[in-house]
Amino acid sequence: MAALIHPLERLAAVGTREGEFRQEQLAASVGHGSTLALLGGMRSMVASGCWLRANLAWEKRDAAATAALLDLTVAADERSLYFWLNGARILANDFPEWRMAGPVPSAFRPIANEECAHLALRFLEKALRWHGPDAAIYIEMANIQLRRRNDLNEAARFYRLAAEQPGAPYYAARIHGEMLLALGRPEAALVWLRQILVTLPANDELARRDVVLERIKLLEQEVARGSSPVG
């Protein structure tokens, strides 16, 4: 038994801020009766097993069981982005459809979308605490804000956070610029695109440096005329 207790003690005793998050993770696992999921090499195996169970619950459209098993999956092993991102997509995209099954007034759809988007965003906030900041997490949060909540301001904010992460895909910065345009802020978009242009390599097609440069030229013309760009 001591061999099992000591790793848990070390996990709970990690210093300062990281220690708080590790204790939160430990509490989540204990709450589901799966403390051993946090022990060394078992973590990945237990998380995979929980994910399979979550998929079985998903097939039955059992929202409560699916959500609980998603939580248990990431409590067992927070390291896999696959679990975080696909779990958030289930919460944000599938849960609202399940709620709308049957004789439900169509006016309830915006409420279901909002509530489930909130669940997914809270799930991804936990990912930021447990897994650590990552461009993919911020992009997923931006997509939820844009597609499920129609909140352009928050979508723009998360795309920028994504673009600022090490190794972020180039498109995150471009989409942030487009979000600024959609918000009616062409001057801010122009400043942003000029800022990122100098970071884009000319020999990488994914950087789309020529596209950004052309967008800058069009924006310069539009801003000079004192009108917002079209399209």
Side-chain angles (χ1 to χ4, degrees):
M1 179 62 71
L4 299 180
I5 294 174
H6 293 325
L8 294 176
E9 290 176 343
R10 288 196 297 271
L11 183 65
V14 176
T16 61
R17 191 179 181 194
E18 182 183 358
E20 295 176 7
F21 301 154
R22 291 303 187 188
Q23 289 178 23
E24 179 187 6
Q25 183 181 0
L26 176 60
S29 181
V30 171
H32 286 94
S34 189
T35 306
L36 292 180
L38 296 180
L39 297 181
M42 295 183 63
R43 297 174 65 196
S44 178
M45 180 180 66
V46 174
S48 295
C50 293
W51 180 257
L52 290 175
R53 291 172 60 198
N55 273 271
L56 292 175
W58 174 83
E59 290 176 358
K60 297 176 182 178
R61 295 195 169 195
D62 186 335
T66 301
L69 286 163
L70 290 176
D71 284 339
L72 184 53
T73 298
V74 294
D77 191 350
E78 83 290 348
R79 296 168 295 181
S80 173
L81 278 174
Y82 178 88
F83 295 145
W84 290 110
L85 300 182
N86 286 283
R89 289 165 191 166
I90 289 172
L91 295 171
N93 301 321
D94 295 335
F95 273 29
E97 298 305 315
W98 298 353
R99 291 192 182 187
M100 293 302 296
V104 180
S106 59
F108 182 67
R109 180 172 291 278
I111 299 173
N113 283 340
E114 177 66 23
E115 290 178 351
C116 295
H118 182 66
L119 285 176
L121 289 168
R122 287 185 61 187
F123 186 74
L124 291 171
E125 288 167 1
K126 186 162 59 179
L128 292 174
R129 295 195 304 272
W130 292 7
H131 178 280
D134 190 283
I137 297 173
Y138 285 122
I139 288 171
E140 198 64 36
M141 297 176 85
N143 289 340
I144 292 170
Q145 294 288 358
L146 180 62
R147 298 170 184 170
R148 308 306 300 183
R149 302 191 67 242
N150 297 312
D151 191 328
L152 297 184
N153 276 299
E154 282 297 284
R157 183 171 74 88
F158 282 117
Y159 278 125
R160 176 161 187 162
L161 286 170
E164 292 171 344
Q165 301 307 306
Y170 297 117
Y171 69 80
R174 294 197 302 271
I175 295 178
H176 175 67
E178 294 303 314
M179 290 290 98
L180 292 175
L181 289 175
L183 288 165
R185 300 174 58 193
E187 293 87 356
L190 180 56
V191 169
W192 172 254
L193 293 178
R194 285 171 173 168
Q195 178 181 327
I196 69 169
L197 181 65
V198 298
T199 70
L200 301 178
N203 60 350
D204 189 340
E205 291 185 3
L206 293 177
R208 306 291 296 275
R209 194 176 192 279
D210 56 336
V211 172
V212 174
L213 184 57
E214 185 63 27
R215 195 61 160 155
I216 288 172
K217 292 177 181 178
L218 291 173
L219 273 171
E220 287 173 339
Q221 296 172 7
E222 296 291 346
V223 170
R225 289 198 296 266
S227 61
S228 299
V230 177

